[in-house]
């Protein structure tokens, strides 16, 4: 299940990081040099438990 979770995390992490980056760019008054890296890191961190839950559901289908 770890292999499935890692594959899902790679895809989900980049997707959520991109969404968070676009969300950070929508607020021009915030300092972009600190907001964008924090938003991208938050996207990758949020993707970890989500990828584990998705991998569990994929494993249950077998």
């Amino acid at each position: 299940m770890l292999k499935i979770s890692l594959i899902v995390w790679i895809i989900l992490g980049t997707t959520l990081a991109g969404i968070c980056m676009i969300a950070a760019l929508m607020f021009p008054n915030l300092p972009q040099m600190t907001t964008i890296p924090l938003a991208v890191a938050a996207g990758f961190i949020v993707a970890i438990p989500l990828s584990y839950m998705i991998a569990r559901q994929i494993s249950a289908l077998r």
Side-chain angles (χ1 to χ4, degrees):
M1 188 167 76
L2 180 64
K3 292 179 185 179
I4 297 171
S5 179
L6 287 175
I7 292 171
V8 171
W9 178 68
I10 290 170
I11 296 168
L12 190 63
T14 54
T15 303
L16 288 179
I19 291 170
C20 289
M21 184 180 70
I22 290 172
L25 289 173
M26 291 177 66
F27 299 102
N29 295 336
L30 296 176
Q32 299 297 320
M33 296 301 284
T34 57
T35 307
I36 291 174
L38 290 176
V40 169
F44 274 114
I45 291 171
V46 168
I48 293 171
L50 290 175
S51 66
Y52 181 73
M53 289 188 304
I54 292 170
R56 264 194 324 184
Q57 291 180 355
I58 291 172
S59 305
L61 293 176
R62 289 186 185 184

